[in-house]
Amino acid sequence: MGARRQPGAGKVLRGLAMRRPLKEAGVLLVIALTATAASWALRPDRLPLRADPAFYRLELDAPLIDPGPALALYDEGQDLFVDTRPAPPGSLPTIPGAVPIRAASFDDDLLDLFDFLAPDDPVILFGDGNLVPVSNIAARLKERGYGNVRILRGGIKAWIKAQGPVTGTASGKEGS
Amino acid sequence: MMRWLGLFCRLAVGGVFVFASWDKLLHPAAFAAAVDHYHLVPYPLLHPMAYALPLLELITGTALILGLCRRGAALIAGCLTVVFMIAIGSALIRGLDITCGCFHTDGGHAVGISLLVRDLVLLVMCWPPLWLADAGPRVPFLCKKD
């Protein structure tokens, strides 16, 4: 009674056996964290370190497509690219072949496309990178029966960054 | 016999982790969105995790395949698998209709019981490389010999 129990040999061995995996795991974690920091710092298209909740909470009315896959679809020539920015057509650099559908002149712009845009045709919408106005256009297109709509993630800026072709302007500079 | 079992598990788990990391490494934004669908990770940690997790998977998988630090790698692989199971389980309990984001950031498997079973098999396969004294040949540098 009152005698202290010595830890069993099995327990000691198990403790010693776990020390090494923990040490190795620590080494691998340090390597992974260092690689993460380097990867984040070196990537040209890196995400901001702190995520913007508004971006993720936004319920979009169409799925997003990254510039890379969008560029491949552009080369295939099957999808119609739609510029949703409010500026008058031709005043800003845009994707060659893109047609304008602007919120302010939605019905007129859509009427211009009526002859060659079928409801099932694949459409990729893009703007200046702000998803809210583009999503609104997507919602209105869906109301009119155009269901095959996607939104270019990052808009025209991401497209230019991905080295997608753009039309030039007199000034040669992209507007906001 | 046990040696071959250890080697098989090491290569299988390592291969799965390397394969799983690839698409996430290429598309961190899409992976961050996939993680966000679980509603488990706070926003300040979302982007760091979108970069760190695929790299941890890649390094862990590579270490298992090469047999470097394989016990530590198996321990991390097991812990990650448990975390994935918790995330999938919680999504199932909350009735979230999402894709798992395990291997592909664009689409992929919908969260379901089959994913939990798959992860359970993966978890069991982490055991031999962690506990066996000999789990097959390894690249002979960097870590101490078993």
Side-chain angles (χ1 to χ4, degrees), chain A residues 17-18 20-22 24-25 28-29 31-32 35-36 39-40 43 46-51 53 56-57, chain B residues 25-26 28-29 32 36 43-44 46-48 51-52 55-56 59 69-73 75-76 144 146:
Chain A
M18 269 314 288
R20 185 156 165 216
L22 284 171
E24 288 180 355
L28 291 172
L29 280 172
I31 293 171
T36 300
S39 159
W40 182 82
R43 282 180 91 122
R46 61 178 172 260
L47 298 169
L49 205 52
R50 196 181 171 89
Y56 288 98
R57 284 181 195 145
Chain B
L25 280 171
L26 293 178
D36 179 57
Y43 285 107
L46 189 60
H47 286 175
Y51 282 105
L55 274 166
L56 185 59
I59 288 166
C69 305
R70 53 121 176 145
R71 284 184 161 151
L75 182 63
I76 292 176
K144 287 178 188 169
D146 291 327

Short mmCIF file of all heavy atoms in Angstrom, two decimals, chain A residues 17-18 20-22 24-25 28-29 31-32 35-36 39-40 43 46-51 53 56-57, chain B residues 25-26 28-29 32 36 43-44 46-48 51-52 55-56 59 69-73 75-76 144 146:
data_model
loop_
_atom_site.label_atom_id
_atom_site.label_comp_id
_atom_site.label_asym_id
_atom_site.label_seq_id
_atom_site.Cartn_x
_atom_site.Cartn_y
_atom_site.Cartn_z
N ALA A 17 8.92 4.61 -28.87
CA ALA A 17 8.61 4.36 -30.27
C ALA A 17 7.86 5.53 -30.89
O ALA A 17 7.98 5.77 -32.08
CB ALA A 17 7.77 3.08 -30.39
N MET A 18 7.08 6.26 -30.10
CA MET A 18 6.32 7.39 -30.63
C MET A 18 7.16 8.64 -30.78
O MET A 18 6.78 9.56 -31.49
CB MET A 18 5.12 7.69 -29.72
CG MET A 18 3.85 6.96 -30.09
SD MET A 18 3.45 7.01 -31.84
CE MET A 18 2.94 8.71 -32.03
N ARG A 20 10.06 9.09 -32.15
CA ARG A 20 10.66 9.27 -33.48
C ARG A 20 9.64 9.70 -34.54
O ARG A 20 9.91 10.64 -35.30
CB ARG A 20 11.37 7.99 -33.90
CG ARG A 20 12.09 8.18 -35.18
CD ARG A 20 13.21 7.23 -35.36
NE ARG A 20 13.56 7.28 -36.76
CZ ARG A 20 13.95 6.25 -37.43
NH1 ARG A 20 14.05 5.09 -36.86
NH2 ARG A 20 14.26 6.37 -38.70
N PRO A 21 8.48 9.02 -34.63
CA PRO A 21 7.49 9.51 -35.60
C PRO A 21 7.10 10.96 -35.37
O PRO A 21 6.94 11.72 -36.32
CB PRO A 21 6.29 8.59 -35.37
CG PRO A 21 6.85 7.36 -34.80
CD PRO A 21 8.04 7.76 -34.00
N LEU A 22 7.01 11.36 -34.10
CA LEU A 22 6.64 12.75 -33.81
C LEU A 22 7.73 13.71 -34.29
O LEU A 22 7.45 14.77 -34.85
CB LEU A 22 6.40 12.93 -32.32
CG LEU A 22 5.08 12.36 -31.78
CD1 LEU A 22 5.05 12.40 -30.26
CD2 LEU A 22 3.90 13.15 -32.35
N GLU A 24 9.94 13.11 -36.69
CA GLU A 24 9.93 13.12 -38.16
C GLU A 24 8.75 13.94 -38.68
O GLU A 24 8.89 14.68 -39.66
CB GLU A 24 9.84 11.69 -38.69
CG GLU A 24 11.12 10.90 -38.50
CD GLU A 24 11.03 9.49 -39.04
OE1 GLU A 24 9.93 9.09 -39.49
OE2 GLU A 24 12.04 8.80 -39.01
N ALA A 25 7.61 13.79 -38.03
CA ALA A 25 6.43 14.57 -38.46
C ALA A 25 6.71 16.05 -38.30
O ALA A 25 6.31 16.86 -39.16
CB ALA A 25 5.22 14.16 -37.64
N LEU A 28 8.83 17.18 -41.21
CA LEU A 28 8.03 17.29 -42.44
C LEU A 28 7.10 18.50 -42.39
O LEU A 28 6.89 19.18 -43.41
CB LEU A 28 7.21 16.01 -42.66
CG LEU A 28 8.03 14.76 -43.00
CD1 LEU A 28 7.15 13.52 -43.00
CD2 LEU A 28 8.70 14.91 -44.36
N LEU A 29 6.56 18.79 -41.22
CA LEU A 29 5.69 19.96 -41.09
C LEU A 29 6.45 21.26 -41.33
O LEU A 29 5.95 22.16 -42.01
CB LEU A 29 5.05 19.99 -39.70
CG LEU A 29 3.84 19.08 -39.48
CD1 LEU A 29 3.43 19.06 -38.02
CD2 LEU A 29 2.67 19.54 -40.35
N ILE A 31 9.15 21.56 -43.14
CA ILE A 31 9.44 21.61 -44.59
C ILE A 31 8.20 22.09 -45.34
O ILE A 31 8.28 22.96 -46.23
CB ILE A 31 9.88 20.22 -45.11
CG1 ILE A 31 11.23 19.83 -44.51
CG2 ILE A 31 9.96 20.21 -46.64
CD1 ILE A 31 11.64 18.40 -44.79
N ALA A 32 7.04 21.55 -44.97
CA ALA A 32 5.80 21.92 -45.67
C ALA A 32 5.47 23.40 -45.46
O ALA A 32 5.07 24.09 -46.39
CB ALA A 32 4.65 21.04 -45.19
N ALA A 35 7.87 25.48 -47.50
CA ALA A 35 7.49 25.40 -48.92
C ALA A 35 6.23 26.21 -49.19
O ALA A 35 6.10 26.84 -50.24
CB ALA A 35 7.28 23.94 -49.32
N THR A 36 5.32 26.22 -48.22
CA THR A 36 4.08 26.99 -48.39
C THR A 36 4.39 28.48 -48.48
O THR A 36 3.87 29.18 -49.37
CB THR A 36 3.14 26.75 -47.18
OG1 THR A 36 2.84 25.36 -47.11
CG2 THR A 36 1.86 27.53 -47.32
N SER A 39 6.08 29.13 -51.77
CA SER A 39 5.11 28.99 -52.87
C SER A 39 4.21 30.22 -52.96
O SER A 39 3.95 30.74 -54.04
CB SER A 39 4.28 27.72 -52.65
OG SER A 39 3.09 27.77 -53.36
N TRP A 40 3.75 30.67 -51.79
CA TRP A 40 2.86 31.84 -51.77
C TRP A 40 3.61 33.08 -52.27
O TRP A 40 3.07 33.87 -53.04
CB TRP A 40 2.33 32.07 -50.36
CG TRP A 40 1.37 33.23 -50.31
CD1 TRP A 40 0.05 33.22 -50.64
CD2 TRP A 40 1.68 34.57 -49.95
NE1 TRP A 40 -0.49 34.45 -50.50
CE2 TRP A 40 0.48 35.33 -50.08
CE3 TRP A 40 2.85 35.23 -49.53
CZ2 TRP A 40 0.43 36.68 -49.80
CZ3 TRP A 40 2.78 36.58 -49.27
CH2 TRP A 40 1.58 37.29 -49.39
N ARG A 43 4.47 32.77 -56.27
CA ARG A 43 3.42 32.63 -57.29
C ARG A 43 2.97 33.99 -57.79
O ARG A 43 2.63 34.86 -56.98
CB ARG A 43 2.22 31.89 -56.71
CG ARG A 43 2.41 30.41 -56.60
CD ARG A 43 1.17 29.79 -56.03
NE ARG A 43 0.27 29.41 -57.09
CZ ARG A 43 -0.16 28.16 -57.26
NH1 ARG A 43 0.23 27.22 -56.44
NH2 ARG A 43 -0.98 27.87 -58.23
N ARG A 46 -0.93 34.76 -56.86
CA ARG A 46 -1.25 34.33 -55.50
C ARG A 46 -2.52 34.99 -54.97
O ARG A 46 -2.83 36.14 -55.32
CB ARG A 46 -0.08 34.62 -54.55
CG ARG A 46 0.29 36.05 -54.43
CD ARG A 46 1.43 36.23 -53.44
NE ARG A 46 1.91 37.59 -53.45
CZ ARG A 46 3.00 37.99 -54.09
NH1 ARG A 46 3.71 37.11 -54.76
NH2 ARG A 46 3.38 39.25 -54.06
N LEU A 47 -3.19 34.24 -54.12
CA LEU A 47 -4.37 34.76 -53.45
C LEU A 47 -3.92 35.68 -52.33
O LEU A 47 -2.82 35.51 -51.81
CB LEU A 47 -5.18 33.60 -52.84
CG LEU A 47 -5.73 32.55 -53.80
CD1 LEU A 47 -6.25 31.36 -53.01
CD2 LEU A 47 -6.83 33.15 -54.64
N PRO A 48 -4.75 36.64 -51.94
CA PRO A 48 -4.38 37.44 -50.77
C PRO A 48 -4.30 36.54 -49.54
O PRO A 48 -5.02 35.54 -49.45
CB PRO A 48 -5.52 38.45 -50.64
CG PRO A 48 -6.63 37.88 -51.44
CD PRO A 48 -6.03 37.03 -52.50
N LEU A 49 -3.41 36.91 -48.62
CA LEU A 49 -3.21 36.06 -47.45
C LEU A 49 -4.50 35.92 -46.64
O LEU A 49 -4.79 34.87 -46.08
CB LEU A 49 -2.10 36.66 -46.58
CG LEU A 49 -1.35 35.70 -45.67
CD1 LEU A 49 -0.83 34.50 -46.43
CD2 LEU A 49 -0.22 36.41 -44.97
N ARG A 50 -5.25 36.99 -46.59
CA ARG A 50 -6.49 36.97 -45.83
C ARG A 50 -7.67 36.93 -46.81
O ARG A 50 -7.81 37.82 -47.65
CB ARG A 50 -6.56 38.23 -44.96
CG ARG A 50 -7.57 38.14 -43.86
CD ARG A 50 -7.58 39.43 -43.06
NE ARG A 50 -8.69 39.44 -42.14
CZ ARG A 50 -8.65 38.96 -40.93
NH1 ARG A 50 -7.54 38.45 -40.47
NH2 ARG A 50 -9.72 38.98 -40.16
N ALA A 51 -8.49 35.92 -46.69
CA ALA A 51 -9.62 35.77 -47.62
C ALA A 51 -10.68 36.83 -47.32
O ALA A 51 -10.91 37.18 -46.16
CB ALA A 51 -10.22 34.39 -47.47
N PRO A 53 -14.30 37.61 -46.89
CA PRO A 53 -15.53 36.84 -46.65
C PRO A 53 -16.62 37.17 -47.67
O PRO A 53 -17.39 36.29 -48.05
CB PRO A 53 -15.95 37.25 -45.25
CG PRO A 53 -14.73 37.75 -44.60
CD PRO A 53 -13.90 38.35 -45.70
N TYR A 56 -16.59 34.94 -50.68
CA TYR A 56 -17.01 33.55 -50.51
C TYR A 56 -18.48 33.44 -50.11
O TYR A 56 -19.12 32.43 -50.36
CB TYR A 56 -16.13 32.85 -49.47
CG TYR A 56 -14.75 32.59 -50.01
CD1 TYR A 56 -13.71 33.46 -49.73
CD2 TYR A 56 -14.50 31.52 -50.84
CE1 TYR A 56 -12.44 33.24 -50.24
CE2 TYR A 56 -13.25 31.29 -51.36
CZ TYR A 56 -12.22 32.15 -51.05
OH TYR A 56 -10.97 31.92 -51.58
N ARG A 57 -19.00 34.48 -49.45
CA ARG A 57 -20.39 34.42 -49.04
C ARG A 57 -21.34 34.74 -50.18
O ARG A 57 -22.52 34.48 -50.11
CB ARG A 57 -20.63 35.40 -47.88
CG ARG A 57 -20.09 34.86 -46.57
CD ARG A 57 -20.37 35.83 -45.46
NE ARG A 57 -19.57 35.52 -44.28
CZ ARG A 57 -19.08 36.43 -43.47
NH1 ARG A 57 -19.29 37.70 -43.68
NH2 ARG A 57 -18.35 36.07 -42.43
N LEU B 25 -2.77 22.01 -55.88
CA LEU B 25 -1.60 22.88 -56.03
C LEU B 25 -1.75 23.79 -57.25
O LEU B 25 -1.34 24.95 -57.22
CB LEU B 25 -0.34 22.04 -56.19
CG LEU B 25 0.28 21.45 -54.93
CD1 LEU B 25 1.38 20.47 -55.29
CD2 LEU B 25 0.83 22.55 -54.05
N LEU B 26 -2.34 23.24 -58.30
CA LEU B 26 -2.49 24.01 -59.54
C LEU B 26 -3.60 25.06 -59.43
O LEU B 26 -3.54 26.09 -60.08
CB LEU B 26 -2.78 23.07 -60.71
CG LEU B 26 -1.64 22.12 -61.10
CD1 LEU B 26 -2.07 21.22 -62.24
CD2 LEU B 26 -0.39 22.88 -61.50
N PRO B 28 -5.26 26.82 -56.43
CA PRO B 28 -5.51 27.13 -55.01
C PRO B 28 -6.82 27.89 -54.78
O PRO B 28 -7.47 27.67 -53.75
CB PRO B 28 -4.30 27.98 -54.61
CG PRO B 28 -3.69 28.45 -55.88
CD PRO B 28 -4.03 27.44 -56.93
N ALA B 29 -7.20 28.74 -55.74
CA ALA B 29 -8.45 29.50 -55.55
C ALA B 29 -9.65 28.57 -55.54
O ALA B 29 -10.55 28.70 -54.69
CB ALA B 29 -8.59 30.54 -56.65
N ALA B 32 -9.62 26.63 -52.33
CA ALA B 32 -10.11 27.46 -51.21
C ALA B 32 -11.63 27.51 -51.21
O ALA B 32 -12.27 27.41 -50.15
CB ALA B 32 -9.53 28.87 -51.30
N ASP B 36 -14.09 26.14 -48.38
CA ASP B 36 -15.09 27.06 -47.80
C ASP B 36 -16.48 26.44 -47.77
O ASP B 36 -17.28 26.74 -46.88
CB ASP B 36 -15.11 28.36 -48.60
CG ASP B 36 -16.13 29.34 -48.07
OD1 ASP B 36 -16.03 29.67 -46.88
OD2 ASP B 36 -17.04 29.75 -48.82
N TYR B 43 -12.25 32.41 -42.14
CA TYR B 43 -11.74 33.09 -43.34
C TYR B 43 -10.27 33.50 -43.24
O TYR B 43 -9.54 33.41 -44.23
CB TYR B 43 -12.63 34.28 -43.70
CG TYR B 43 -13.92 33.82 -44.32
CD1 TYR B 43 -15.12 33.88 -43.63
CD2 TYR B 43 -13.94 33.28 -45.60
CE1 TYR B 43 -16.30 33.42 -44.19
CE2 TYR B 43 -15.11 32.81 -46.18
CZ TYR B 43 -16.29 32.89 -45.46
OH TYR B 43 -17.44 32.42 -46.02
N PRO B 44 -9.78 33.96 -42.09
CA PRO B 44 -8.35 34.32 -42.05
C PRO B 44 -7.42 33.13 -42.32
O PRO B 44 -6.29 33.32 -42.72
CB PRO B 44 -8.15 34.84 -40.62
CG PRO B 44 -9.51 35.27 -40.19
CD PRO B 44 -10.47 34.35 -40.85
N LEU B 46 -8.33 30.54 -44.39
CA LEU B 46 -8.75 29.82 -45.61
C LEU B 46 -7.65 29.79 -46.68
O LEU B 46 -7.29 28.72 -47.18
CB LEU B 46 -10.02 30.47 -46.16
CG LEU B 46 -10.72 29.73 -47.29
CD1 LEU B 46 -11.15 28.35 -46.84
CD2 LEU B 46 -11.92 30.52 -47.77
N HIS B 47 -7.11 30.95 -47.01
CA HIS B 47 -6.09 30.98 -48.06
C HIS B 47 -4.77 30.34 -47.62
O HIS B 47 -4.19 29.59 -48.41
CB HIS B 47 -5.88 32.42 -48.53
CG HIS B 47 -7.02 32.92 -49.38
ND1 HIS B 47 -7.09 34.21 -49.83
CD2 HIS B 47 -8.13 32.30 -49.84
CE1 HIS B 47 -8.20 34.36 -50.55
NE2 HIS B 47 -8.84 33.22 -50.56
N PRO B 48 -4.28 30.64 -46.40
CA PRO B 48 -3.07 29.92 -45.99
C PRO B 48 -3.25 28.40 -46.04
O PRO B 48 -2.35 27.67 -46.46
CB PRO B 48 -2.85 30.40 -44.54
CG PRO B 48 -3.46 31.76 -44.52
CD PRO B 48 -4.65 31.68 -45.42
N TYR B 51 -3.04 26.89 -49.52
CA TYR B 51 -1.66 26.71 -49.99
C TYR B 51 -0.93 25.61 -49.22
O TYR B 51 -0.18 24.84 -49.79
CB TYR B 51 -0.87 28.02 -49.87
CG TYR B 51 -1.18 29.01 -50.96
CD1 TYR B 51 -1.97 30.12 -50.73
CD2 TYR B 51 -0.68 28.82 -52.25
CE1 TYR B 51 -2.26 31.02 -51.73
CE2 TYR B 51 -0.97 29.71 -53.26
CZ TYR B 51 -1.76 30.81 -53.00
OH TYR B 51 -2.06 31.69 -54.01
N ALA B 52 -1.17 25.56 -47.90
CA ALA B 52 -0.37 24.66 -47.05
C ALA B 52 -0.80 23.20 -47.18
O ALA B 52 0.05 22.31 -47.24
CB ALA B 52 -0.47 25.11 -45.59
N LEU B 55 0.53 21.19 -50.21
CA LEU B 55 1.98 20.98 -50.10
C LEU B 55 2.30 19.95 -49.02
O LEU B 55 3.20 19.13 -49.19
CB LEU B 55 2.68 22.30 -49.79
CG LEU B 55 3.01 23.13 -51.04
CD1 LEU B 55 3.39 24.55 -50.66
CD2 LEU B 55 4.13 22.48 -51.83
N LEU B 56 1.54 20.00 -47.93
CA LEU B 56 1.74 18.99 -46.88
C LEU B 56 1.40 17.60 -47.42
O LEU B 56 2.11 16.63 -47.13
CB LEU B 56 0.86 19.33 -45.66
CG LEU B 56 1.04 18.44 -44.43
CD1 LEU B 56 2.48 18.49 -43.93
CD2 LEU B 56 0.10 18.86 -43.32
N ILE B 59 4.31 16.57 -49.79
CA ILE B 59 5.54 16.21 -49.08
C ILE B 59 5.35 14.91 -48.31
O ILE B 59 6.22 14.03 -48.32
CB ILE B 59 5.96 17.38 -48.15
CG1 ILE B 59 6.49 18.53 -49.01
CG2 ILE B 59 7.00 16.95 -47.14
CD1 ILE B 59 6.63 19.85 -48.29
N CYS B 69 11.66 9.42 -43.68
CA CYS B 69 10.84 9.83 -42.53
C CYS B 69 9.46 9.17 -42.60
O CYS B 69 8.44 9.83 -42.34
CB CYS B 69 10.67 11.35 -42.49
SG CYS B 69 12.18 12.28 -42.50
N ARG B 70 9.44 7.90 -42.96
CA ARG B 70 8.13 7.30 -43.31
C ARG B 70 7.23 7.18 -42.09
O ARG B 70 6.01 7.22 -42.23
CB ARG B 70 8.31 5.94 -43.96
CG ARG B 70 9.16 4.96 -43.21
CD ARG B 70 8.48 3.71 -42.85
NE ARG B 70 9.46 2.84 -42.23
CZ ARG B 70 9.15 2.02 -41.27
NH1 ARG B 70 7.93 1.96 -40.81
NH2 ARG B 70 10.08 1.26 -40.74
N ARG B 71 7.81 7.04 -40.90
CA ARG B 71 6.93 6.96 -39.71
C ARG B 71 6.26 8.30 -39.46
O ARG B 71 5.07 8.37 -39.18
CB ARG B 71 7.73 6.52 -38.50
CG ARG B 71 8.03 5.04 -38.53
CD ARG B 71 8.73 4.59 -37.29
NE ARG B 71 8.62 3.17 -37.13
CZ ARG B 71 9.52 2.43 -36.52
NH1 ARG B 71 10.60 2.98 -36.00
NH2 ARG B 71 9.33 1.15 -36.40
N GLY B 72 7.04 9.36 -39.57
CA GLY B 72 6.45 10.69 -39.39
C GLY B 72 5.45 10.99 -40.48
O GLY B 72 4.38 11.55 -40.24
N ALA B 73 5.79 10.57 -41.71
CA ALA B 73 4.88 10.80 -42.84
C ALA B 73 3.59 10.02 -42.65
O ALA B 73 2.49 10.53 -42.91
CB ALA B 73 5.56 10.40 -44.15
N LEU B 75 2.34 9.13 -39.82
CA LEU B 75 1.60 9.78 -38.72
C LEU B 75 0.83 10.99 -39.25
O LEU B 75 -0.37 11.15 -38.94
CB LEU B 75 2.59 10.22 -37.63
CG LEU B 75 2.00 10.87 -36.39
CD1 LEU B 75 1.11 9.89 -35.65
CD2 LEU B 75 3.11 11.37 -35.47
N ILE B 76 1.49 11.81 -40.07
CA ILE B 76 0.80 12.98 -40.64
C ILE B 76 -0.34 12.53 -41.55
O ILE B 76 -1.45 13.07 -41.50
CB ILE B 76 1.79 13.86 -41.43
CG1 ILE B 76 2.80 14.51 -40.49
CG2 ILE B 76 1.04 14.95 -42.20
CD1 ILE B 76 3.87 15.32 -41.19
N LYS B 144 17.64 8.75 -40.51
CA LYS B 144 18.38 7.65 -39.90
C LYS B 144 17.76 6.32 -40.31
O LYS B 144 16.56 6.24 -40.54
CB LYS B 144 18.32 7.78 -38.38
CG LYS B 144 19.16 8.88 -37.82
CD LYS B 144 18.96 8.93 -36.34
CE LYS B 144 19.64 10.15 -35.75
NZ LYS B 144 19.25 10.36 -34.37
N ASP B 146 16.21 2.64 -39.99
CA ASP B 146 15.31 2.06 -38.99
C ASP B 146 16.05 1.07 -38.10
O ASP B 146 16.90 0.36 -38.57
CB ASP B 146 14.16 1.33 -39.69
CG ASP B 146 13.25 2.34 -40.37
OD1 ASP B 146 13.11 3.45 -39.84
OD2 ASP B 146 12.70 2.01 -41.43
#
